[in-house]
């Protein structure tokens, strides 16, 4: 009886998240390498590990790029920033980019967030010059506890040759906007980035 109740509760919980037992995660969730087996989970009483959000799948094509000098406290490194996707999906738009350290150490740990202890890329924004509007990174709720729908950067200190792939999701500009400026702290502004 316990196994049946546990399976029913697990099925309801997973259905509420938009997934049924045995389905692959999507929409920015990464599988942890373990195959979900509800029967085994019900028998052992353990819940599947929580998946960490990652960048949505992206194309390898670079649509905007620049070399930048990045650093703080007198220590500077050089990096190449490649924007690989700016894709409209319904009422949202997803930005994907890669930062590659080309010389010295590049600190992404706390330089792209909205505050001192914000270890994310939440300060990245899209600027629509036609409509004079700035789009901030989407949040998963309201108030102080709302987390950005974007990459975390905690502990990201890149040595020369290291790369980090990052993402952020925004509300989409009007459909007639086909190019937009991307502003990134430490990296500057990329102008006229095409929206696909």
């Amino acid at each position: 009886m316990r196994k049946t109740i546990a399976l029913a509760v697990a099925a309801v919980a997973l259905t509420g998240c938009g997934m049924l037992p045995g389905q692959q995660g999507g929409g920015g969730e990464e599988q942890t390498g373990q195959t979900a087996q509800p029967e085994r989970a019900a028998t052992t009483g353990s819940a599947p590990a929580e998946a960490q959000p990652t960048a949505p799948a992206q194309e390898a094509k670079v649509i905007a790029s620049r070399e930048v000098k990045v650093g703080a406290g007198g220590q500077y490194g050089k990096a190449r920033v490649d924007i690989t996707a700016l894709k409209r999906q319904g009422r949202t738009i997803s930005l994907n980019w890669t930062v590659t350290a080309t010389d010295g150490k590049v600190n992404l740990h706390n330089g792209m967030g909205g505050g001192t202890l914000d270890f994310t890329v939440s300060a990245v924004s899209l600027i629509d010059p036609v409509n004079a509007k700035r789009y901030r990174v989407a949040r998963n709720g309201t108030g102080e506890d709302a987390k950005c729908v974007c990459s975390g950067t905690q502990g990201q200190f890149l040595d020369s040759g290291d790369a980090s792939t990052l993402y952020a999701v925004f509300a989409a500009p009007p459909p007639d906007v086909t190019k937009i400026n991307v502003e990134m702290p430490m990296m500057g502004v990329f102008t006229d980035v095409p929206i696909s």
Side-chain angles (χ1 to χ4, degrees):
M1 182 69 176
R2 278 188 179 168
K3 290 180 186 178
T4 305
I5 292 172
L7 281 174
V9 170
V12 169
L14 289 173
T15 303
C17 295
M19 291 177 50
L20 295 174
Q23 285 186 324
Q24 294 284 332
E29 293 182 349
E30 175 184 356
Q31 295 295 336
T32 59
Q34 298 177 355
T35 304
Q37 295 181 1
E39 294 81 14
R40 184 175 292 160
T43 304
T44 62
S46 64
E50 192 174 309
Q52 295 294 317
T54 60
Q58 59 181 310
E59 299 174 14
K61 182 181 174 187
V62 175
I63 57 176
S65 185
R66 77 175 335 150
E67 296 277 334
V68 294
K69 191 175 183 181
V70 181
Q75 294 184 333
Y76 291 90
K78 291 182 182 174
R80 186 182 71 248
V81 182
D82 297 321
I83 296 177
T84 54
L86 185 58
K87 185 172 181 168
R88 186 186 310 268
Q89 296 172 305
R91 293 174 42 191
T92 64
I93 190 167
S94 298
L95 171 68
N96 298 73
W97 71 98
T98 301
V99 178
T100 305
T102 57
D103 185 30
K105 193 172 214 77
V106 174
N107 173 6
L108 296 180
H109 177 68
N110 60 350
M112 300 183 82
T116 306
L117 298 176
D118 183 358
F119 305 113
T120 68
V121 297
S122 66
V124 172
S125 60
L126 304 180
I127 301 170
D128 176 355
V130 174
N131 298 299
K133 188 167 182 181
R134 176 186 296 270
Y135 296 88
R136 305 260 182 208
V137 174
R139 300 261 172 193
N140 67 358
T142 58
E144 292 180 18
D145 294 333
K147 302 216 182 314
C148 77
V149 184
C150 65
S151 294
T153 56
Q154 189 166 12
Q156 290 196 28
F157 301 95
L158 307 180
D159 289 317
S160 187
D162 291 346
S164 178
T165 300
L166 305 165
Y167 79 97
V169 177
F170 306 84
D176 62 329
V177 176
T178 58
K179 292 183 179 182
I180 202 160
N181 298 342
V182 178
E183 181 184 36
M184 295 183 186
M186 302 189 310
M187 312 296 179
V189 177
F190 294 77
T191 58
D192 296 328
V193 179
I195 298 172
S196 61

